[in-house]
Structures are given as structure tokens and as C-alpha cells.
Amino acid sequence: RRREERLQNVPIAVSVLSGETISNTGAFNVNRLQTLQPSLQFYSSNPRNSAINIRGLGAPFGLTNDGIEQGVGLYIDQVYIGRVGASTFDFVDIDRVEVLRGPQGTLYGKNTTAGAVNITTKKPNLSSPEATFEVSTGNYGLFQLKASASAPIAEDKLGVRVSTSVTKRGGSIYDTAIDKNLQKQDNFSVRGQLLWQATPNLDFN
């Protein structure tokens, strides 16, 4: 209902994952969320040919059609992302992820006939500077870097936050015909936010 309330009082089937839970479990993208949300399915052979399904409903994988909207809406900070390929990027500075199961047309429009994935990022800090830095390594030459910084420009009124993420990994499947490893990862993203708290009850982000 687009207002702050207890999860037990929300009259829909919804699951909420905090940023801390996502970080501790290594669920650094929508694909990894499947291990925490059994009703969520994510399929992707490349960013353009990707699909998010909830309860088995959404969009057929492998039938890319840029003229057909997804059955599961993807929202980042309440902004609808019209192309599901944006969901293949890594999470950084995430406050929470909400998975809303079932039709959400009343509040989220016709793009949510099967449900919605609502991602909320951390807002800029208006009181004091802060910074985080994380490096991870793994098999197949995995290297992941996440960094973010936030600082107030005008205390209690204006703040800025910049976040970046880099993920590189070698291919996990070796194709003998072309002598090349397939399924490599090479992601890079940058996000900037400017928060203006015009009044105690009005924010522009």
C-alpha cells in the first residue's frame, strides 16, 4: 500500500530480505536470490535473453521479444525497469529486496501480472561521511570488488552517495569445438544518488 507498516499487516504474499542477509549469504544478484526465495525463478543466457518468474509465471525463457513486457515487474527504488536485462547486474548498497507474489496491478500496474521484485537501495547519509569496501575471490578466477561512499553536502538537508561494483570470472563450461571457455562474467556498474530532504516529510532522491 506504499506506506510504512508491519510486514504481518500487509495483505499480500510478500517476502523481504535485508541487505545484511543478502550480504551474509552471498546473494549478490537476482539469480542468487533463488536460493533464498523458492517461489522466484531467474533464467539468463545473456542480459537480453533473461526472464524473472514467480510461482512459475512471468515470461517464457528463450523467446526474447522486445515488444512484450515481462510478467514480473522489476523495480529499483520504486522506478520500473522495462528491460529485465538490468537485473543481471550485481547488488551493491542494497537496503532490502521485496518479492511480491501474485498480481500487483493495483499498485504496480499492468507489468506485474505474476508479481514484482522491489529493490530498495541505501540512501545517502545526511549526518556523517561513510565508506565501505569489499573484495572477494573464488574459483574460475572470480574477482569481485564493491565500494561505496556517502557524505553530507549540507547537513540534514543534502547528501550524496556513489556506489560501484566489478565482477569478473572465467568460463565454467569448456567448448572443445571452439577451444574456448563459455559462461564468463564481466560486469561493471556505477550508481550515483543525490538526496535532498526538502522538509521532514518530503524527500527528493
Side-chain angles (χ1 to χ4, degrees):
R1 291 177 285 203
R2 294 188 184 272
R3 64 173 181 262
E4 186 174 336
E5 56 186 322
R6 288 169 53 87
L7 183 61
Q8 289 85 350
N9 297 334
V10 179
I12 59 172
V14 56
S15 299
V16 181
L17 298 171
S18 67
E20 183 179 4
T21 299
I22 291 171
S23 177
N24 291 342
T25 56
F28 59 84
N29 55 28
V30 175
N31 184 40
R32 296 289 186 97
L33 287 181
Q34 296 180 100
T35 60
L36 304 175
Q37 295 293 305
S39 62
L40 178 71
Q41 298 91 38
F42 181 76
Y43 310 96
S44 179
S45 57
N46 55 66
R48 184 169 174 264
N49 194 1
S50 302
I52 303 175
N53 288 353
I54 292 180
R55 293 171 170 170
L57 303 174
F61 175 66
L63 298 176
T64 301
N65 189 323
D66 294 329
I68 297 178
E69 295 171 333
Q70 298 289 320
V72 176
L74 176 68
Y75 292 80
I76 299 178
D77 290 331
Q78 300 296 322
V79 177
Y80 173 64
I81 308 299
R83 292 291 174 258
V84 73
S87 65
T88 61
F89 288 105
D90 300 331
F91 293 153
V92 58
D93 264 356
I94 298 299
D95 181 66
R96 67 185 182 276
V97 175
E98 302 163 357
V99 178
L100 290 69
R101 302 186 293 277
Q104 307 296 324
T106 303
L107 291 180
Y108 288 91
K110 65 183 179 64
N111 313 300
T112 56
T113 54
V117 177
N118 193 13
I119 301 171
T120 302
T121 63
K122 293 181 180 178
K123 291 185 176 181
N125 194 326
L126 297 179
S127 58
S128 61
E130 64 178 16
T132 60
F133 184 80
E134 177 185 333
V135 176
S136 303
T137 60
N139 58 354
Y140 298 104
L142 173 67
F143 172 79
Q144 187 175 69
L145 169 67
K146 295 181 181 181
S148 66
S150 177
I153 298 176
E155 191 170 352
D156 298 330
K157 289 291 183 182
L158 194 64
V160 64
R161 178 182 288 273
V162 178
S163 310
T164 185
S165 174
V166 178
T167 300
K168 293 183 180 294
R169 193 203 67 188
S172 57
I173 300 175
Y174 176 67
D175 189 329
T176 58
I178 60 176
D179 190 27
K180 185 182 294 185
N181 288 324
L182 307 179
Q183 300 295 327
K184 294 181 179 180
Q185 286 187 354
D186 189 4
N187 285 350
F188 172 71
S189 62
V190 176
R191 181 176 65 247
Q193 293 188 67
L194 185 66
L195 174 63
W196 175 36
Q197 192 170 54
T199 71
N201 297 321
L202 179 63
D203 292 347
F204 291 97
N205 192 26

